[in-house]
């Protein structure tokens, strides 16, 4: 069916197209009776404003963008992004604002999406995730003048506001807890090394382990998938100097690591303690249930949306530091065997 137009409304109302435009845009020039009649006809025939036309006039798009530079298949099993999006959507719904989501293979494609969205007036701003060291997206977004908020440490966000929490605080809690249980060889199965938060965790992990008397603290980087998490675990547990505890950078890899330990006939937690970064139903349904770093991910998404909406409305550019995550001990950690 043909999309309803202003001309269709004008014909049915018996007025000019200019009068329809005045009525639908809340402008003076028509009587209240005519305005009400035009609005009723528009609703009846299903008329909606044309996004492209609105962009030419500088009108708001009432949408914000989120581009994820991850394999699409990964998003189907990664609880983090689903929880983040639920928090963003919950906040946007209250403002009658839509979320435009796109998955891309690399930063070059992501930057092209921002240029197109902003140039065509499709979004009023964007939330950037997965901040990298020397992230190429930051200067491009600054140059575009597009309102944007970054979920990541403010040291890498340039002039863009950041929504973040201090991950070093909870990492210290994790290492000191394991050290108190007698673990002196703690490995970490980490995420992508190019990510800024991975580097921050890497540096803090080495420093805190040294301070806590943990003599061996290897790090293996992965792509966050269960396959690579399992491979890294198998390598660590097959080495001559086997760790007594492993900290994983997400719950998927921790569950995969638990499976590998059971495959290799290692008792968890008697022979190996496991900690998952980010609690989720996955961490709770396995046996033993996983000791985990817990944080309110939907709240983080909501805070990012709130910060961006304030930036769009008033130009307020302040960053927001949320509460740090905390450690939730469960059945996958125990004192180290001496």
């Amino acid at each position: 069916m043909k999309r309803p137009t202003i001309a269709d409304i004008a014909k049915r109302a018996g007025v000019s197209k200019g009068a329809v435009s005045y009525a639908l845009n809340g402008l003076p020039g028509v009587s209240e009776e005519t305005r009400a009649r035009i609005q009723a006809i528009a609703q009846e025939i299903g008329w909606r404003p044309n996004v492209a036309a609105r962009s030419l006039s500088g009108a708001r798009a009432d949408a914000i963008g989120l581009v994820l530079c991850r394999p699409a298949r990964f998003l189907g099993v990664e609880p983090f992004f689903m929880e983040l999006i639920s928090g963003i959507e919950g906040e946007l719904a209250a403002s009658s604002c839509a979320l435009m989501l796109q998955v891309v293979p690399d930063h070059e494609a992501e930057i092209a999406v921002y240029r197109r969205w902003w140039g065509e007036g499709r979004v009023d701003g964007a939330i950037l995730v997965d901040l990298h060291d020397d992230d190429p997206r930051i200067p491009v977004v600054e140059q575009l003048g597009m309102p944007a908020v970054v979920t990541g440490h403010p040291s890498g966000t340039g002039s863009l506001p950041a929504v973040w929490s201090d991950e070093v605080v909870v990492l210290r809690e994790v290492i000191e807890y394991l050290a108190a249980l007698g673990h002196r060889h703690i490995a970490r199965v980490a995420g992508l090394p190019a990510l800024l938060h991975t580097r921050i965790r890497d540096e803090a992990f080495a420093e805190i382990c040294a301070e806590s008397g943990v003599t061996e603290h290897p790090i293996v980087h992965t792509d966050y998938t269960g396959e690579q998490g399992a491979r890294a675990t198998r390598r660590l547990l097959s080495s001559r100097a086997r760790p007594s505890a492993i900290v994983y950078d997400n719950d998927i890899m921790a569950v995969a690591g638990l499976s590998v330990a059971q495959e290799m006939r290692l008792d968890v937690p008697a022979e190996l303690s496991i900690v998952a970064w980010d609690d989720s139903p996955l961490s709770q349904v396995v046996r033993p249930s996983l000791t985990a770093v817990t944080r309110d991910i939907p709240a983080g998404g909501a805070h990012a949306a709130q910060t961006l909406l304030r930036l769009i409305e008033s130009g307020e550019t302040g960053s927001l530091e949320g509460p740090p995550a905390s450690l939730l001990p469960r059945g996958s950690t125990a004192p180290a065997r001496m």
Side-chain angles (χ1 to χ4, degrees), residues 74-320:
F74 178 80
L75 301 179
V77 295
E78 170 56 85
F80 172 83
F81 282 112
M82 294 302 101
E83 292 186 43
L84 182 74
I85 290 170
S86 73
I88 294 171
E89 283 279 22
E91 189 62 33
L92 295 183
S95 303
S96 298
C97 190
L99 177 66
M100 290 191 67
L101 174 66
Q102 187 156 342
V103 178
V104 296
D106 51 45
H107 277 166
E108 184 177 350
E110 183 173 347
I111 288 169
V113 170
Y114 294 139
R115 291 187 187 279
R116 185 177 73 254
W117 278 355
W118 187 241
E120 295 177 356
R122 292 179 177 270
V123 298
D124 299 314
I127 296 173
L128 277 63
V129 298
D130 281 346
L131 186 63
H132 282 55
D133 272 318
D134 299 319
D135 199 304
R137 298 170 297 173
I138 302 299
V140 171
V141 171
E142 289 174 327
Q143 184 182 33
L144 285 174
M146 179 177 69
V149 168
V150 184
T151 60
H153 197 275
S155 64
T157 64
S159 65
L160 304 181
V163 174
W164 67 293
S165 63
D166 191 344
E167 296 192 334
V168 175
V169 172
V170 69
L171 186 57
R172 181 175 296 279
E173 184 181 0
V174 170
I175 301 307
E176 290 181 348
Y177 171 70
L178 292 173
L181 290 175
H183 294 280
R184 295 296 177 265
H185 187 168
I186 303 173
R188 181 163 152 261
V189 176
L192 297 164
L195 293 174
L196 178 59
H197 76 255
T198 301
R199 178 176 63 76
I200 291 173
R201 291 182 192 179
D202 286 353
E203 294 172 356
F205 179 73
E207 181 179 334
I208 297 167
C209 281
E211 293 173 358
S212 304
V214 177
T215 54
E216 300 290 333
H217 40 84
I219 299 173
V220 181
H221 291 106
T222 69
D223 65 357
Y224 287 113
T225 62
E227 291 83 1
Q228 288 208 12
R231 191 175 300 120
T233 303
R234 200 169 285 112
R235 196 168 94 202
L236 287 166
L237 298 182
S238 299
S239 64
R240 295 179 63 182
R242 191 174 72 201
S244 62
I246 304 178
V247 180
Y248 293 85
D249 262 14
N250 73 1
D251 48 354
I252 294 173
M253 295 195 297
V255 171
L258 174 63
S259 296
V260 169
Q262 293 169 343
E263 160 198 313
M264 297 180 69
R265 302 294 188 267
L266 289 175
D267 186 279
V268 176
E271 296 175 284
L272 177 70
S273 286
I274 289 177
V275 177
W277 195 295
D278 284 340
D279 193 17
S280 75
L282 281 177
S283 303
Q284 300 170 42
V285 298
V286 294
R287 290 294 177 267
S289 57
L290 298 181
T291 294
V293 169
T294 180
R295 54 180 171 162
D296 193 341
I297 298 170
H303 292 155
Q306 291 166 3
T307 303
L308 180 56
L309 290 175
R310 284 197 301 270
L311 177 60
I312 293 166
E313 292 287 349
S314 65
E316 183 181 333
T317 59
S319 293
L320 176 65

Side-chain angles (χ1 to χ4, degrees), residues 1 44 56 70 106 109 125 239 265 276 329:
M1 295 177 63
E44 179 187 341
L56 291 175
R70 295 286 185 93
D106 51 45
S239 64
R265 302 294 188 267

Side-chain angles (χ1 to χ4, degrees), residues 16-36:
S16 68
K17 289 191 288 185
V20 173
S21 180
Y22 291 150
L24 296 177
N25 288 291
L27 300 174
V30 293
S31 69
E32 289 306 312
E33 180 183 354
T34 301
R35 188 189 308 277

